[in-house]
Amino acid sequence: GQNIDQPTEMTATEGAIVQINCTYQTSGFNGLFWYQQHAGEAPTFLSYNVLDGLEEKGRFSSFLSRSKGYSYLLLKELQMKDSASYLCAVRSFGNSGYSTLTFGKGTMLLVSP
Amino acid sequence: DAGVIQSPRHEVTEMGQEVTLRCKPISGHNSLFWYRQTMMRGLELLIYFNNNVPIDDSGMPEDRFSAKMPNASFSTLKIQPSEPRDSAVYFCASSFPGLAGGISTDTQYFGPGTRLTVL
């Protein structure tokens, strides 16, 4: 089975840096995704890691350690519009030979002025 | 480019009624996924298709739920009969195996969702 843990809520101030952690236990691991979801909207793709290390994309970076079952999403220069839920999702191959995503319950980030 | 299209965006129905949700994946994508999102359980995979063929429906909660994909550009999720506990947001997502640096990405792109309320 899959088990994905991430904090339920986090708060931060505009202009600051925040790190959202995700730990997972899974079989057939083949990548980790981060999605952003604003209230009432669909999840949108942010980043993808399959190898260990840091992937940087503008103000957002994502890190993966496969041996530790650990990832984090780093958001720099926070803006009010970054207030959203951030979903960690693990991709794994099932018995069918196809890969699927298992999502964590999301971390609600509130950015205050 | 058009993203994943879902209809209706909102559905309010009474217990016992049949509900049909519709999805049009991104053109060229060959995998389609149906998810359900609730506060309690988060985002759960219900069923997924590859090249219009159902691959795994182990996430479908009960026999009241069924899904079809008659062609590459259309899929339906049906609930019959509906119950109040089916109230949730239902998302459809599609993907196409891609490569970045020689590594498959399989990024899923989500539709806007259908908010279902069963009274």
Side-chain angles (χ1 to χ4, degrees), chain B residues 36 81 87 114:
Chain B
R36 177 173 68 177
S87 297
T114 295

Side-chain angles (χ1 to χ4, degrees), chain B residues 27-47:
Chain B
S27 177
H29 282 195
N30 66 344
S31 291
L32 183 140
F33 307 81
W34 282 102
Y35 291 89
R36 177 173 68 177
Q37 187 175 40
T38 61
M39 288 293 291
M40 289 295 294
R41 301 174 68 88
L43 196 59
E44 302 174 285
L45 177 64
L46 300 177
I47 184 171

Side-chain angles (χ1 to χ4, degrees), chain A residues 33-82:
Chain A
F33 290 74
W34 284 95
Y35 280 78
Q36 180 191 60
Q37 185 176 25
H38 284 100
E41 297 183 9
T44 55
F45 169 72
L46 282 180
S47 70
Y48 163 74
N49 295 71
V50 67
L51 300 176
D52 291 350
L54 189 69
E55 292 283 339
E56 297 188 77
K57 227 186 210 185
R59 293 189 299 115
F60 293 4
S61 303
S62 57
F63 172 83
L64 175 67
S65 169
R66 290 171 294 171
S67 62
K68 296 182 179 177
Y70 169 68
S71 173
Y72 67 72
L73 180 69
L74 192 71
L75 292 78
K76 303 175 187 175
E77 302 170 14
L78 280 174
Q79 302 175 8
M80 298 295 288
K81 67 177 182 179
D82 296 330

Side-chain angles (χ1 to χ4, degrees), chain B residues 80-92:
Chain B
Q80 165 65 17
S82 58
E83 297 183 3
R85 58 186 166 141
D86 302 331
S87 297
V89 180
Y90 291 81
F91 287 105
C92 175

Side-chain angles (χ1 to χ4, degrees), chain A residues 37-41, chain B residues 6-13 19 21 37-39 86-91 112-118:
Chain A
Q37 185 176 25
H38 284 100
E41 297 183 9
Chain B
Q6 291 186 247
S7 64
R9 295 293 305 277
H10 301 272
E11 177 82 27
V12 180
T13 190
V19 174
L21 312 180
Q37 187 175 40
T38 61
M39 288 293 291
D86 302 331
S87 297
V89 180
Y90 291 81
F91 287 105
T114 295
R115 182 172 296 275
L116 173 65
T117 303
V118 183

